[in-house]
Amino acid sequence: MAAALKSPRIFHWSPLDAGFAPGLRCLQIVTSLQHGGAERIAWDLAQELPRTGIATRLIALGKPLRRTLPDLPGTLDLSQYDRATRAERLRIAAHHFGADVLHGHLIDQEDMQLFSASGIPLATTIHNTRAAWPMGLESLRAEDAGLLIACAQTVERELAELKLPVPLRTVWNGISMTEYAGNQTPAPARDEFMLACVANPRPQKRLHLLPAILAATQQAFNRYGVKRQVRLILAGEASPRSPSALECYERIRQEAARHGVTSAITWTHGALDTKSVLTQADAAISCSAYEGLSLAHMEALAMGLPLISTDAGGTRELAPGNPALTLLPLDAAPTDFAEAILALIQSPPASGVEAVARDFSTHHMSRRVGWLLQSLATQSASPTGKGILFVTNNLSTGGAQSSLRRLALSLQAQGVPVTIALLQEYPEHPTPGRAALEQAGIPFIVPPPAGTIDPAIAVRQILDNVAAAPPATLVFWNAIPVHKILFADVVWSARIFDVSPGEMYFASLDRYFLNTRPGLPVRSARDYGQRLSG
């Protein structure tokens, strides 16, 4: 025995390894990794979230029907398992990864229930309007998900109509601006006008309407003496394993023959990437019956192309400040499209690149997803809220400040826990009002003052300070609009009230909505008001 102890053998047993990482850890879960808008969003987030400090692993639940997206390191394929086994494998993967949150894409209610049973908070992104919602979404329970993320405000409004017991927020889809912006198309060929439609054949895309639009546009060109031939390039692929896709393809072929435009249509069948297709085009076109928020629309606008589209789903949310987008009614006739295309020839619109870059980039999308996932992890682990958190600019002299001081002291005397967060004071230099309340025992949270740090950082610091004892009520008392909107966006476990002097209140909001925070889907006082209790 003594001899054995003198020469011990050393083993490395990995289950005993320990480490510390301050950032959030998230599993991105998607139904499959095929070419499609929702799948591309999940794939992009798996690469972008780590750049925001969130460790991520990608999970694929099923087999693709179309071409697959490139493999990412660490991707876990669970497509060979039945639903229950898949959920158990995911639970094990989450445990070994140390996941703080799960983020699902396109998953149905049954999968939400199974994944939430792991005890890890689940956020689920809804990538389309009502007609294409995942199965069982209408009967979602509070225990099935911790947060629903809509890809567009239109989708969020439809979800709100269900009155589900799950918080709702919007994160606009985004694209890589470095990939598309700055790659504007060259001058068009003299004898052709090329329309591009980027969409996989599915009933919602109504691609069978395109041949009639193509014929009507050529007739309009001939009538007005525009000596160019109209052509269409269709970028999308019909999976041989998808009967509905094959049916769509056949219907387009029949309509093209009926309108005599077969030779004017080029199919890529997925052989060209989107950028290569758009580089050949003079304009992009879409006649969808419904949409979430189309990446193809953003990509076309980011390439400097004008876009003519039906007013479907979240498409209207691309329109503010974007001169390159023409919206037509859902029931627009082929002649309506032809007139819109003719107008582009007669009066070319300004570029829509800047408007897309402002709100719809992967940069904004990933940071906003991380912002919400952090809140989901924090609020899911928080105890039941108590007391009131007041958020105000400062406690220097003034009527509003004096009122808050008296109110805080009165509430404290009644046994109501009160905390005050100050947005415009320096931590090391308390105003007399703050000093008096601190002496009375009222706690304060004072991040670096507004103007010295990003408002989102200040909001996060304040919320982190109250995470262990969260408030039941959050009250804005004459506070800066962007901070109020960020608080209201990221807090759903407390009632929120806004108290401010009337004229100042509306004037400050008006100024904010003239130049909203990029990537934050709150564009009007009505949007903000929906987050308030009163």
Side-chain angles (χ1 to χ4, degrees):
M1 178 67 73
L5 290 174
K6 290 179 181 178
S7 56
R9 296 179 64 188
I10 299 174
F11 293 90
H12 174 218
W13 191 29
S14 60
L16 291 178
D17 288 350
F20 173 74
L24 204 69
R25 301 182 71 80
C26 171
L27 292 187
Q28 289 285 327
I29 308 163
V30 65
T31 47
S32 69
L33 283 173
Q34 63 185 8
H35 276 265
E39 295 88 349
R40 178 60 187 264
I41 292 296
W43 188 80
D44 282 344
L45 285 172
Q47 298 174 89
E48 290 292 324
L49 284 173
R51 296 185 180 122
T52 72
I54 297 178
T56 303
R57 189 179 186 190
L58 190 59
I59 310 289
L61 300 179
K63 294 187 180 299
L65 294 176
R66 299 187 291 272
R67 286 180 306 127
T68 58
L69 292 162
D71 283 338
L72 294 178
T75 297
L76 179 62
D77 181 1
L78 300 179
S79 60
Q80 68 269 40
Y81 301 111
D82 61 49
R83 195 187 287 260
T85 306
R86 197 171 63 189
E88 177 59 15
R89 292 272 177 167
L90 190 143
R91 185 193 66 78
I92 294 170
H95 172 74
H96 285 296
F97 185 66
D100 301 294
V101 290
L102 309 176
H103 184 197
H105 303 262
L106 301 174
I107 60 176
D108 61 22
Q109 186 204 23
E110 188 173 349
D111 272 339
M112 289 186 217
Q113 290 175 352
L114 290 169
F115 299 159
S116 290
S118 68
I120 302 171
L122 170 69
T124 301
T125 292
I126 308 303
H127 287 277
N128 219 318
T129 47
R130 187 186 298 267
W133 280 348
M135 188 74 69
L137 184 62
E138 295 90 341
S139 54
L140 204 65
R141 304 169 303 169
E143 59 266 33
D144 296 338
L147 175 66
L148 289 181
I149 299 175
C151 67
Q153 290 172 303
T154 301
V155 177
E156 183 183 331
R157 284 192 290 270
E158 289 190 352
L159 287 166
E161 292 173 2
L162 298 179
K163 301 188 184 304
L164 297 171
V166 181
L168 296 171
R169 291 296 183 269
T170 293
V171 176
W172 280 320
N173 288 344
I175 61 170
S176 169
M177 295 305 298
T178 56
E179 182 177 354
Y180 292 96
N183 292 288
Q184 285 80 358
T185 56
R190 180 179 296 274
D191 59 346
E192 288 185 348
F193 185 88
M194 182 68 79
L195 290 169
C197 181
V198 179
N200 292 314
R202 286 183 290 165
Q204 80 175 80
K205 301 296 183 179
R206 300 196 298 183
L207 300 181
H208 62 278
L209 301 179
L210 291 170
I213 292 170
L214 198 61
T217 303
Q218 189 64 67
Q219 291 169 9
F221 278 18
N222 295 341
R223 188 165 59 250
Y224 285 92
V226 179
K227 300 186 181 302
R228 296 172 72 175
Q229 295 298 308
V230 183
R231 294 187 58 80
L232 173 68
I233 182 168
L234 270 169
E237 54 182 312
S239 167
R241 290 185 289 162
S242 171
S244 65
L246 295 174
E247 182 181 338
C248 289
Y249 176 78
E250 180 59 22
R251 190 172 180 188
I252 299 163
R253 191 190 65 78
Q254 293 173 359
E255 286 296 300
R258 186 165 76 89
H259 289 282
V261 295
T262 299
S263 62
I265 299 177
T266 300
W267 280 88
T268 70
H269 297 293
L272 293 177
D273 60 51
T274 300
K275 188 164 65 175
S276 299
V277 170
L278 295 174
T279 301
Q280 302 177 39
D282 298 285
I285 187 169
S286 171
C287 41
S288 291
Y290 53 92
E291 287 282 357
L293 189 60
S294 170
L295 298 184
H297 292 173
M298 298 176 196
E299 290 161 351
L301 292 166
M303 287 280 285
L305 291 176
L307 168 65
I308 304 100
S309 174
T310 48
D311 189 3
T315 307
R316 176 173 291 274
E317 293 164 46
L318 296 171
N322 199 319
L325 175 56
T326 301
L327 287 176
L328 298 176
L330 289 175
D331 60 354
T335 52
D336 296 325
F337 280 91
E339 290 173 6
I341 294 166
L342 186 63
L344 299 179
I345 298 281
Q346 296 170 336
S347 180
S351 169
V353 175
E354 186 177 338
V356 174
R358 187 185 187 281
D359 287 315
F360 303 100
S361 68
T362 52
H363 172 84
H364 288 315
M365 175 183 69
S366 60
R367 275 149 186 76
R368 180 155 171 72
V369 167
W371 164 259
L372 292 175
L373 293 182
Q374 180 72 51
S375 295
L376 173 62
T378 302
Q379 293 180 68
S380 297
S382 296
T384 303
K386 292 182 178 180
I388 301 173
L389 170 64
F390 287 98
V391 178
T392 190
N393 290 341
N394 56 68
L395 281 174
S396 58
T397 58
Q401 293 88 342
S402 298
S403 297
L404 177 55
R405 291 199 298 271
R406 290 194 299 271
L407 178 59
L409 291 170
S410 175
L411 289 168
Q412 184 193 49
Q414 297 174 50
V416 178
V418 173
T419 303
I420 300 178
L422 300 174
L423 304 177
Q424 289 181 325
E425 289 199 22
Y426 284 86
E428 65 276 16
H429 299 298
T431 58
R434 172 179 146 204
L437 290 182
E438 284 181 327
Q439 190 172 2
I442 291 179
F444 281 82
I445 305 167
V446 191
T452 65
I453 60 170
D454 184 285
I457 295 175
V459 168
R460 180 62 67 196
Q461 287 184 7
I462 293 168
L463 292 176
D464 286 348
N465 268 275
V466 298
T473 303
L474 178 59
V475 179
F476 306 134
W477 192 278
N478 196 25
I480 302 169
V482 65
H483 292 75
K484 295 193 298 187
I485 288 165
L486 285 167
F487 271 112
D489 178 62
V490 83
V491 171
W492 51 80
S493 59
R495 298 175 302 161
I496 302 176
F497 295 87
D498 194 338
V499 180
S500 295
E503 183 62 28
M504 183 184 298
Y505 174 73
F506 292 109
S508 63
L509 279 177
D510 286 344
R511 285 193 298 272
Y512 172 79
F513 289 119
L514 288 174
N515 185 25
T516 56
R517 184 178 174 87
L520 180 59
V522 181
R523 282 177 165 164
S524 70
R526 182 181 295 274
D527 294 338
Y528 170 55
Q530 289 174 342
R531 304 286 186 238
L532 301 177
S533 300

